[in-house]
Amino acid sequence: MTNQVRGSIGSASQTPGNRVLWVLLLAYIFNFIDRQIIGVLAIPIKAELQLSDTQLSLMGGIAFALFYSGIAIPVAWLADRKNRVNIIAFSVALWSAFTALCGLAQNFWQLFLARMGVGIGEAGGVAPSYALISDFFPKERRARALALFSLGIPIGSALGVFFGGWLAANLDWRWAFIIVGLAGLPAALLVRLGIREPVRGGLDTVGGSASEPAPPFTTVASRLAATPSFWLLSLGAASGSILGYGLIFWLPSFFSRSFELTLTQVSWFYGSIVLIGGVAGTYLGGWLGDRLGAGRPAAYALIPATCFLISAPVFAAALFVPSLTLAWPLFAIGQMLALAWLGPVIAAVQHLVPANMRATASASFLFINNLIGIGFGIFFLGFMSDRMTSTFGDEALRYSILFGLGFYLLSSILYFAASGRLRRDWFTLEEGRP
């Protein structure tokens, strides 16, 4: 099995690794369809259930983030010891079922609890997938592989906006949840039947042998706690995600309120921004990470640092241009720059620990990123919008997003700081360090 996996990685076709990557990408697309569809559906949900922006932000952010972030670490600890394919397949089925249940909610608390269930399911999908991909692709190709996997974020988010808006406009928001939730169940079966568990760490050890047994969680936690670049990367990602998740949730409402677009118009306008800008940025970041980071680990942090520094003024300009014709390219460029961090940073985290710690390290990274990013970001923009309504009226959301751009600048500062530490913290098996 080891020779088969290693041989496939070294071949020109990369068939086994690519097949696994496409299957996991499909599952990740459904992950973000189910996660982000709530943003466009917030418009009819707010009208029907008579919710405030603060209530919407609690339902879209904290309800999901608390369980998603907290459960991800013990699930990843299990994934470092057990079959990752089975864990991922079960998780896809679970979050798909809870997404469908969102369509049965009749009030705020029922929807809040159903979104918690989505978070519980999605907790087992991402970190084990990172670790699995790292065992199918060698280190010089991991940033691109992980960037391609991360295309699930813009593609899934865009499809959630497209189909969520269309289904809500032509049926209603409950049917939108039910249809996209049930559509994800076949993806769980495909993961289970289409992927074979590879040798853990086979591409990072001499002769392709399996890595050492996974250590206790306390050992992994101690190692991460003593690795400054891990904290700088995690907090940099979290700062960027505060606004990133906030935008994907609130921009549909912004376009509806400030540009008076219908639900169908919002789905096409914003969905195309997320799809084109997001795909371009995610792939570009991974390509640059592999190209520039091969001999210079600092590049894995310098790429997102530079992109976030530029994206803040681009988004600020997009918020205040007078027409949609001007707004579209500015938002698309901002989206491209804002998602370029995914491939380089996720790959860098994989290189801070040995192979037998990767899933747990990834889950710890995601815990920090998502608890702060999803939990606080969506709430922050909604809370600020409610507080500014007395001053700015229907334009309050515009100014809430404007103030939130400061988090992109903070993220850039943290990534620049991380770039100075990465070489010292890089785990290199051949050299026996750190």
Side-chain angles (χ1 to χ4, degrees):
M1 177 67 180
T2 300
N3 291 335
Q4 179 187 356
V5 173
R6 179 173 285 276
S8 68
I9 295 300
S11 67
S13 65
Q14 302 290 336
T15 302
N18 282 347
R19 184 182 67 248
V20 169
L21 188 56
W22 288 118
V23 172
L24 291 176
L25 172 60
L26 177 64
Y28 204 28
I29 287 171
F30 276 105
N31 180 301
F32 265 81
I33 290 174
D34 294 358
R35 185 185 307 190
Q36 303 295 11
I37 192 174
I38 191 72
V40 71
L41 296 185
I43 299 170
I45 289 172
K46 178 177 182 176
E48 181 173 330
L49 301 184
Q50 297 295 302
L51 304 180
S52 66
D53 281 354
T54 300
Q55 286 177 306
L56 284 173
S57 64
L58 289 171
M59 177 190 64
I62 293 176
F64 180 92
L66 283 177
F67 282 87
Y68 175 76
S69 302
I71 294 176
I73 292 179
V75 171
W77 177 88
L78 185 65
D80 274 332
R81 290 156 176 78
K82 302 295 182 181
N83 188 294
R84 292 165 289 185
V85 174
N86 290 341
I87 291 172
I88 296 168
F90 176 79
S91 298
V92 177
L94 189 61
W95 84 58
S96 298
F98 271 107
T99 298
L101 284 175
C102 289
L104 304 180
Q106 299 298 313
N107 56 52
F108 169 77
W109 285 110
Q110 289 178 6
L111 195 53
F112 186 93
L113 292 173
R115 290 295 294 175
M116 279 188 173
V118 177
I120 292 171
E122 294 196 6
V126 184
S129 294
Y130 289 164
L132 199 62
I133 291 169
S134 296
D135 282 336
F136 276 98
F137 291 88
K139 60 183 179 181
E140 64 271 12
R141 297 190 67 237
R142 279 183 193 145
R144 276 172 291 175
L146 289 164
L148 284 170
F149 172 70
S150 297
L151 289 177
I153 297 175
I155 294 173
S157 298
L159 292 178
V161 174
F162 282 137
F163 288 115
W166 186 86
L167 289 169
N170 290 276
L171 297 173
D172 61 36
W173 62 267
R174 290 190 173 84
W175 274 110
F177 276 126
I178 293 170
I179 291 171
V180 300
L182 295 179
L185 294 176
L189 186 62
L190 186 60
V191 171
R192 178 65 183 83
L193 299 179
I195 301 177
R196 293 180 62 187
E197 181 78 11
V199 173
R200 201 181 302 267
L203 296 177
D204 295 86
T205 55
V206 178
S209 59
S211 62
E212 295 294 323
F217 173 75
T218 53
T219 301
V220 183
S222 297
R223 182 188 182 91
L224 295 176
T227 306
S229 58
F230 170 80
W231 291 100
L232 291 168
L233 290 173
S234 298
L235 292 173
S239 298
S241 293
I242 287 174
L243 189 61
Y245 280 114
L247 288 177
I248 196 69
F249 186 90
W250 286 112
L251 276 180
S253 295
F254 165 73
F255 291 129
S256 175
R257 298 176 194 180
S258 296
F259 287 95
E260 298 183 346
L261 298 184
T262 66
L263 192 58
T264 301
Q265 290 172 328
V266 168
S267 67
W268 284 104
F269 183 79
Y270 186 49
S272 62
I273 289 171
V274 174
L275 182 63
I276 296 173
V279 168
T282 303
Y283 183 78
L284 178 64
W287 181 81
L288 288 173
D290 278 341
R291 187 172 181 84
L292 303 179
R296 189 187 181 195
Y300 287 92
L302 290 174
I303 292 167
T306 304
C307 288
F308 276 125
L309 186 64
I310 300 171
S311 67
V314 172
F315 269 122
L319 287 170
F320 288 93
V321 293
S323 73
L324 290 172
T325 304
L326 293 174
W328 193 97
L330 288 172
F331 275 113
I333 293 170
Q335 185 75 27
M336 178 185 72
L337 294 169
L339 287 184
W341 70 272
L342 287 162
V345 173
I346 294 167
V349 172
Q350 304 302 302
H351 288 290
L352 296 179
V353 295
N356 58 356
M357 299 183 185
R358 281 184 184 146
T360 305
S362 295
S364 300
F365 166 80
L366 291 169
F367 175 83
I368 298 169
N369 178 47
N370 291 319
L371 184 62
I372 297 174
I374 302 176
F376 180 69
I378 295 174
F379 174 79
F380 173 82
L381 294 185
F383 178 81
M384 291 298 293
S385 176
D386 277 342
R387 294 300 175 272
M388 293 180 177
T389 298
S390 60
T391 302
F392 297 107
D394 288 340
E395 296 299 311
L397 193 53
R398 186 195 304 268
Y399 288 93
S400 174
I401 295 171
L402 178 66
F403 293 148
L405 290 172
F407 289 108
Y408 276 174
L409 299 178
L410 175 60
S411 178
S412 179
I413 293 170
L414 291 166
Y415 280 131
F416 275 121
S419 68
R421 285 287 320 188
L422 272 176
R423 180 172 290 278
R424 281 173 282 181
D425 294 341
W426 211 248
F427 179 82
T428 305
L429 184 68
E430 292 84 357
E431 299 175 8
R433 66 177 180 85

